[in-house]
Amino acid sequence: MAESKKTPIRVLISGAAGQIGYSLIPMIASGRALGPDQPISLVLLDIPPCATKLQGVCMEVLDCSFGLLTEVIPSTDAKTAFKGVNLAILVGGFPRKKGMVRADLLKINGGIFSGMGKAIADQAHPNVKVVVVANPANTNCLIAALNADKIPKKNFSALTRLDMNRAKGQVMDKLALATSNDVKNIVIWGNHSKTQYPDVTSAQVKKGSSDWTPIAKVASEEDMKFFTGEFITTVQYRGAAVIKARGLSSACSAANAVGDHIKSLYGGTSEGEIVSMAVWSNGNPYGIADGLYYSFPVTCKGGEWEFAKVPTTAEGQKLMKATEAELLEEKKEALAK
């Protein structure tokens, strides 16, 4: 282990033997997400049928010889795996299968994530941070949080950083920027679904200079038509496009986005930077209903986040309410007895 005076953070990844979990492990264990001097105690959780595969994953983690890793603990028991966990990354969930409707998926995952929430409340550190990746991520996050009665709702978040990264890539490509680091402050509103609203109203870019410039001052009229039309649907349906082309759902890009999400949450956002996370909606400044995990622009510092206030357009507000409506319906279905 690399020498460090810091106390190890205990990080749990559920679904650790799956594609996303497997791809995520190096991003956590290498220090990319939590910092180059932060020791990590890593718990890898999966379901009992994956026990042998999980052992193989642990062998590979050991073979990587990560300098920050103090221990690797495999587990197939969700009731005990969360003991002392500081950061829980919930990747494992029940995937949608042929013939299933959304209500079926919500019901099955509701059972899984209610159990996760109870286990987190019973065993994890009182200030544990929980990042939900498994779809439907926003509502799975809600179910877990509602069942973790001892843990603040603000400690839970769901992943929309993948959508934000996808949007950054589209802007980089459209405006012929050098890299995606030349784009910031794109906002993803709402649900991690086809109703999400990718919004460039507050976006800034660097093109031909070292200064950040509002996108509207750089983009042509045709570009702006793209950003209020095809761009939105491209980001909304990007996951389906990847599945069609690859034959499998996004894994590398999803794991990368989880790493980015955690890096922003713990490492903090830079001055003038906002990022998108699905967070507890209570007290938001945009008129979105309380009691949801809805993607907002936020700033972060030391594991905590705050709402960021950005301008919106009249058309954008309609799209924000449309994705809110879907989340309210998902909540109703998920909580139905």
Side-chain angles (χ1 to χ4, degrees), residues 28-320:
I28 300 298
S30 68
R32 181 194 145 177
L34 288 165
D37 61 347
Q38 177 56 65
I40 293 164
S41 165
L42 186 62
V43 182
L44 301 179
L45 173 66
D46 217 310
I47 56 177
C50 292
T52 301
K53 187 182 291 186
L54 190 60
Q55 288 294 338
V57 172
C58 289
M59 290 165 64
E60 281 207 79
V61 173
L62 185 63
D63 293 347
C64 286
S65 192
F66 291 112
L68 292 170
L69 211 53
T70 63
E71 59 182 341
V72 184
I73 305 168
S75 178
T76 57
D77 184 2
K79 293 182 179 179
T80 61
F82 290 95
K83 185 175 181 180
V85 164
N86 304 105
L87 170 62
I89 309 168
L90 306 184
V91 179
F94 193 88
R96 188 167 185 169
K97 296 185 176 181
K98 188 175 181 180
M100 288 179 64
V101 297
R102 185 178 65 177
D104 297 328
L105 188 66
L106 287 165
K107 184 176 181 180
I108 294 170
N109 276 299
I112 294 170
F113 282 86
S114 62
M116 290 277 189
K118 290 172 184 174
I120 288 168
D122 289 343
Q123 302 171 48
H125 187 279
N127 197 34
V128 62
K129 300 299 188 292
V130 182
V131 179
V132 178
V133 181
N135 288 320
N138 299 57
T139 300
N140 286 344
C141 186
L142 174 68
I143 297 304
L146 291 178
N147 282 276
D149 53 357
K150 300 176 185 177
I151 309 299
K153 301 292 186 293
K154 197 173 179 181
N155 285 24
F156 288 75
S157 59
L159 185 73
T160 56
R161 187 60 167 263
L162 176 55
D163 307 302
M164 182 183 129
N165 286 351
R166 287 167 170 168
K168 286 177 67 176
Q170 292 298 309
V171 171
M172 178 193 75
D173 189 53
K174 186 67 174 178
L175 298 182
L177 304 176
T179 75
S180 61
N181 287 336
D182 294 331
V183 187
K184 72 174 183 178
N185 295 359
I186 293 175
V187 177
I188 304 296
W189 300 99
N191 201 2
H192 175 60
S193 75
K194 295 179 181 65
T195 68
Q196 66 175 269
Y197 169 37
D199 179 15
V200 300
T201 304
S202 299
Q204 297 180 31
V205 300
K206 287 183 179 180
K207 187 171 184 179
S209 75
S210 60
D211 298 327
W212 288 107
T213 306
I215 194 170
K217 292 186 177 181
V218 173
S220 67
E221 186 176 339
E222 283 301 310
D223 291 335
M224 292 310 295
K225 285 182 180 178
F226 169 79
F227 290 133
T228 55
E230 183 183 345
F231 163 79
I232 294 173
T233 54
T234 297
V235 177
Q236 289 172 333
Y237 288 85
R238 187 66 165 186
V242 169
I243 292 172
K244 183 178 180 180
R246 184 172 176 258
L248 295 166
S249 60
S250 301
C252 178
S253 58
N256 177 68
V258 177
D260 289 343
H261 179 114
I262 293 167
K263 184 177 181 180
S264 292
L265 183 63
Y266 281 85
T269 47
S270 302
E271 182 70 26
E273 178 193 19
I274 57 174
V275 296
S276 293
M277 297 179 179
V279 297
W280 188 235
S281 62
N282 288 29
N284 76 85
Y286 298 101
I288 299 300
D290 287 348
L292 298 173
Y293 280 89
Y294 184 105
S295 184
F296 292 99
V298 299
T299 57
C300 305
K301 184 178 181 180
E304 306 296 334
W305 59 267
E306 298 292 340
F307 292 115
K309 191 72 176 74
V310 299
T312 59
T313 65
E315 184 58 34
Q317 288 168 14
K318 293 178 184 177
L319 297 173
M320 291 163 63

